[in-house]
Amino acid sequence: GENVEQHPSTLSVQEGDSAVIKCTYSDSASNYFPWYKQELGKRPQLIIDIRSNVGEKKDQRIAVTLNKTAKHFSLHITETQPEDSAVYFCAAYSGGGADGLTFGKGTHLIIQP
Amino acid sequence: ETGVTQTPRHLVMGMTNKKSLKCEQHLGHNAMYWYKQSAKKPLELMFVYSLEERVENNSVPSRFSPECPNSSHLFLHLHTLQPEDSALYLCASSQDEGSYEQYFGPGTRLTVT
């Protein structure tokens, strides 16, 4: 089955700086890579996703890049703000019926004022 | 947000009890999921239902029993749980199984005593 590794587990950045979270996956058949944001005590919510036929996608201050050859994808947040503080999960979908989405362990992003 | 609802939000049960978690989605989706989220592990997929048919997941102990009577409702029946089963149980739904955005419910915080 798919295996997703996510780094770092905790990331602290100054407000206004950029943050980068990286994930690797093992199944070359994976074709869908969503990123979820989970604020304290709340449900995970999709913030951006990318499919295997695209190398980069951007939505305002967030962007995701995908390198299929190296089997890794990254989340980039620019001009970070206090409300960006949360746990971020990457995930990969390989198309297997019982596998569904495989999530990384999450990154706790802390924005320092 | 009321797209995916879960009840109860909090549950405390003894190891000999039998209880059920309920999930309801109002989005017209065809796929529903149960995830377990604990402090030590990432979001773990437990069960997938697609068009009310269960996709087998042999790694989940039999003390967890899912039920999907229709495409809008999903249950997780619990019996003879262990303290290590204490976690946040999240329900999610998506348009179809696969590379579609999953919408999460608020979760049920389960404590097994």
Side-chain angles (χ1 to χ4, degrees), chain A residues 34-39 42-48 87-89 103, chain B residues 1 43 101-105:
Chain A
W35 285 88
Y36 282 81
K37 175 183 180 182
Q38 187 175 25
E39 296 177 54
K42 296 191 177 181
R43 72 192 77 193
Q45 291 192 295
L46 182 75
I47 56 171
I48 195 166
V87 178
Y88 292 81
F89 294 94
F103 282 84
Chain B
E1 296 180 34
L43 283 160
E101 177 179 357
Q102 292 190 15
Y103 292 79
F104 284 85

Side-chain angles (χ1 to χ4, degrees), chain A residues 2-98:
Chain A
E2 176 64 277
N3 182 48
V4 176
E5 299 286 337
Q6 184 173 347
H7 299 280
S9 57
T10 304
L11 177 60
S12 182
V13 302
Q14 289 294 124
E15 182 178 350
D17 288 350
S18 295
V20 180
I21 302 170
K22 299 181 179 182
C23 289
T24 60
Y25 60 98
S26 61
D27 191 342
S28 57
S30 289
N31 58 13
Y32 174 63
F33 307 90
W35 285 88
Y36 282 81
K37 175 183 180 182
Q38 187 175 25
E39 296 177 54
L40 186 64
K42 296 191 177 181
R43 72 192 77 193
Q45 291 192 295
L46 182 75
I47 56 171
I48 195 166
D49 57 12
I50 192 167
R51 300 183 187 276
S52 58
N53 58 347
V54 176
E56 183 174 357
K57 185 176 179 181
K58 188 174 182 180
D59 183 3
Q60 298 183 332
R61 295 187 298 109
I62 60 172
V64 57
T65 58
L66 171 65
N67 183 326
K68 285 191 296 181
T69 303
K71 288 189 281 188
H72 69 69
F73 55 113
S74 301
L75 177 71
H76 304 254
I77 305 175
T78 59
E79 300 172 18
T80 54
Q81 300 170 4
E83 55 265 35
D84 295 329
S85 294
V87 178
Y88 292 81
F89 294 94
C90 64
Y93 176 73
S94 60

Side-chain angles (χ1 to χ4, degrees), chain B residues 6 12 37 49 51 53 56-57 59-60 77 80 84 103 109 113:
Chain B
Q6 288 185 244
V12 179
Q37 186 176 35
Y49 274 86
L51 294 173
E53 288 194 13
E56 291 297 325
N57 189 325
S59 66
V60 181
H77 303 299
T80 59
E84 59 264 29
Y103 292 79
R109 174 67 62 184
T113 60

Side-chain angles (χ1 to χ4, degrees), chain B residues 7-8 11 19-23 34 74-76 78 89 108:
Chain B
T7 54
L11 177 63
K19 296 287 184 182
S20 296
L21 309 184
K22 179 182 176 182
C23 176
W34 278 117
L74 185 65
F75 294 89
L76 187 63
L78 317 170
Y89 289 84
T108 294

Side-chain angles (χ1 to χ4, degrees), chain B residues 60-106:
Chain B
V60 181
S62 60
R63 57 185 184 269
F64 296 92
S65 176
E67 178 189 0
C68 187
N70 55 62
S71 60
S72 299
H73 294 85
L74 185 65
F75 294 89
L76 187 63
H77 303 299
L78 317 170
H79 65 96
T80 59
L81 294 191
Q82 304 298 313
E84 59 264 29
D85 296 322
S86 298
L88 180 69
Y89 289 84
L90 289 160
C91 172
S93 72
S94 63
Q95 181 60 51
D96 289 292
E97 183 198 351
S99 58
Y100 295 89
E101 177 179 357
Q102 292 190 15
Y103 292 79
F104 284 85

